[in-house]
């Protein structure tokens, strides 16, 4: 009834536990981006099919898996290798597929850090469209993440969460990944103007639409790293998560700082190039005169 699509790149630490959590599915496709560790070997040993596609962005990977992966079932669950499906979520997925009230579903996730669930600092529940009918799910890349393209009225919401082990490969790996993500976010921030904000979603949109609009609006705010820390640690009561909550709030402020720094670097480079181009034009005019 349900196919599972997992994206991987050097995930030997995670892929076994991820696939064990979906052992109930009879169709599991691992779309690998060129792993150099034992990811593919472990995936095949767990009974998963494996395809290769060079990575460009998350949305394109997911769309390729949907279109070219030969998935057997109409309903598809999208996972990353550091995510786990609980027995309760498995039942919720099966029930939703049987009832078919919506074409796709948002799934919440619990962020796990330093051996515990970050109930507050992890912004639970944060939703992503991860489950739906194969022909209805099309993803669009925005910043470093992806968004579903269905109208909100066609998307339902599940209560049971995924477990997200974002730090399973250590802090150094998290920093490397978020260094890449910050480049994508900086580019998205640079392209996003106040006129692009979906103002109506702030008042009348669903929770996910409001969150997206607030994110776009936040690009115009000063002191974003400090504001991000205060929002996570104080506004979202991350302080109740103890030391893990504080550490995570600091990491998110650092991530925000990287985005702003790269955004300013790009703008500085553009100004410098424009000035050099203007100087070159002036030199040509003087020479011709």
């Amino acid at each position: 009834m349900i196919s599972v699509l997992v994206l991987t790149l050097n995930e030997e630490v995670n892929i076994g536990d991820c696939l064990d959590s979906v052992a109930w599915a009879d169709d599991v496709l691992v779309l690998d981006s060129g792993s150099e560790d034992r990811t593919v070997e472990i995936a095949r040993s767990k009974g998963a099919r494996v395809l290769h596609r060079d990575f460009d962005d998350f949305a394109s990977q997911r769309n390729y898996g949907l279109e070219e992966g030969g998935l057997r079932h109409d309903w598809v669950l999208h996972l990353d290798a550091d995510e786990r499906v609980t027995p309760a979520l498995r039942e919720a997925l099966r029930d939703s597929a049987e009832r078919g009230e919506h074409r796709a579903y948002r799934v919440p996730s619990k962020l796990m850090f330093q051996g515990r669930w970050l109930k507050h600092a992890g912004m639970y529940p944060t939703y992503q469209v991860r489950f739906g009918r194969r022909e209805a799910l099309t993803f669009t890349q925005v910043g470093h993440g992806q968004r579903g393209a269905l109208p909100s009225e066609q998307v339902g919401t599940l209560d049971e969460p995924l477990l997200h082990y974002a730090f399973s490969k250590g802090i150094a790996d998290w920093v490397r990944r978020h260094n890449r993500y910050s480049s994508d976010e900086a580019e998205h921030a640079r392209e996003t103007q106040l006129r692009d904000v979906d103002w109506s979603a702030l008042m009348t949109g669903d929770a996910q639409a409001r969150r997206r609009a607030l994110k776009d609006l936040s690009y115009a705010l000063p002191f974003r790293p400090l504001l991000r820390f205060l929002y996570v640690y104080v506004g979202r009561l991350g302080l109740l998560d103890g030391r893990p909550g504080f550490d995570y709030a600091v990491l998110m402020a650092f991530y925000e700082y990287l985005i702003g720094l790269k955004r300013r670097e790009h703008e500085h480079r553009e100004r410098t190039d424009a000035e050099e181009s203007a100087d070159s034009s002036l030199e040509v005019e003087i020479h011709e005169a």
Side-chain angles (χ1 to χ4, degrees):
M1 178 181 291
I2 297 173
S3 293
V4 179
L5 172 60
V6 186
L7 304 185
T8 59
L9 174 63
N10 295 328
E11 292 287 355
E12 66 178 8
V13 172
N14 288 310
I15 191 61
D17 288 341
C18 176
L19 295 180
D20 285 344
S21 77
V22 293
W24 44 267
D26 65 357
D27 182 33
V28 179
L29 172 65
V30 170
L31 182 55
D32 189 73
S33 303
S35 294
E36 298 176 345
D37 61 5
R38 297 179 59 244
T39 298
V40 171
E41 174 189 344
I42 295 171
R44 286 176 173 154
S45 74
K46 297 288 184 179
R49 294 183 295 118
V50 179
L51 290 180
H52 170 83
R53 182 181 187 271
D54 291 338
F55 185 86
D56 44 13
D57 59 58
F58 289 105
S60 297
Q61 291 294 99
R62 297 195 192 282
N63 291 338
Y64 179 87
L66 290 169
E67 296 164 5
E68 307 295 337
L71 299 173
R72 301 172 191 167
H73 301 300
D74 290 336
W75 288 90
V76 182
L77 172 65
H78 291 261
L79 293 177
D80 293 331
D82 60 359
E83 296 172 333
R84 313 285 182 264
V85 176
T86 66
L89 176 57
R90 175 193 64 202
E91 294 306 314
L93 294 170
R94 286 175 169 171
D95 182 61
S96 297
E98 288 176 357
R99 288 186 287 110
E101 295 177 356
H102 299 278
R103 300 181 71 192
Y105 290 86
R106 305 176 190 89
V107 182
S109 66
K110 287 184 175 181
L111 178 62
M112 313 301 289
F113 181 47
Q114 296 181 2
R116 66 181 294 175
W117 167 36
L118 291 183
K119 181 177 182 179
H120 305 283
M123 275 76 79
Y124 182 83
T126 298
Y127 297 95
Q128 293 188 64
V129 177
R130 288 296 195 87
F131 181 60
R133 291 188 177 277
R134 187 174 66 247
E135 77 280 359
L137 283 180
T138 301
F139 294 91
T140 303
Q141 191 70 22
V142 179
H144 82 272
Q146 65 281 313
R147 296 177 180 175
L150 282 175
S152 59
E153 62 270 15
Q154 298 182 25
V155 182
T157 302
L158 299 183
D159 295 326
E160 293 296 334
L162 289 164
L163 302 184
H164 186 197
Y165 293 87
F167 296 88
S168 55
K169 293 191 285 186
I171 297 295
D173 175 78
W174 187 94
V175 171
R176 281 193 295 270
R177 284 185 286 117
H178 282 73
N179 182 40
R180 297 195 305 271
Y181 298 163
S182 64
S183 298
D184 296 333
E185 287 294 322
E187 179 65 18
H188 178 61
R190 196 176 63 83
E191 295 173 350
T192 301
Q193 306 295 325
L194 282 176
R195 64 175 178 272
D196 300 319
V197 175
D198 185 357
W199 298 98
S200 62
L202 293 174
M203 301 299 295
T204 61
D206 58 30
Q208 190 173 37
R210 284 197 301 273
R211 182 169 173 265
R212 292 171 178 174
L214 285 170
K215 179 179 179 180
D216 290 343
L217 178 61
S218 73
Y219 289 131
L221 298 176
F223 310 114
R224 280 171 55 92
L226 176 60
L227 291 175
R228 186 66 175 268
F229 174 83
L230 292 174
Y231 175 69
V232 173
Y233 194 63
V234 181
R236 296 291 302 208
L237 299 179
L239 54 90
L240 298 180
D241 290 320
R243 182 58 185 264
F246 175 80
D247 290 343
Y248 184 70
V250 171
L251 286 171
M252 295 310 295
F254 166 69
Y255 176 53
E256 206 66 61
Y257 184 77
L258 281 179
I259 295 172
L261 192 62
K262 291 180 179 182
R263 182 181 181 183
R264 294 193 300 274
E265 179 185 54
H266 189 94
E267 292 170 349
H268 174 73
R269 187 182 300 119
E270 282 190 332
R271 287 194 301 270
T272 301
D273 291 346
E275 291 171 359
E276 290 177 352
S277 177
D279 290 342
S280 297
S281 298
L282 180 59
E283 288 177 2
V284 170
E285 292 177 0
I286 292 174
H287 179 72
E288 291 179 345

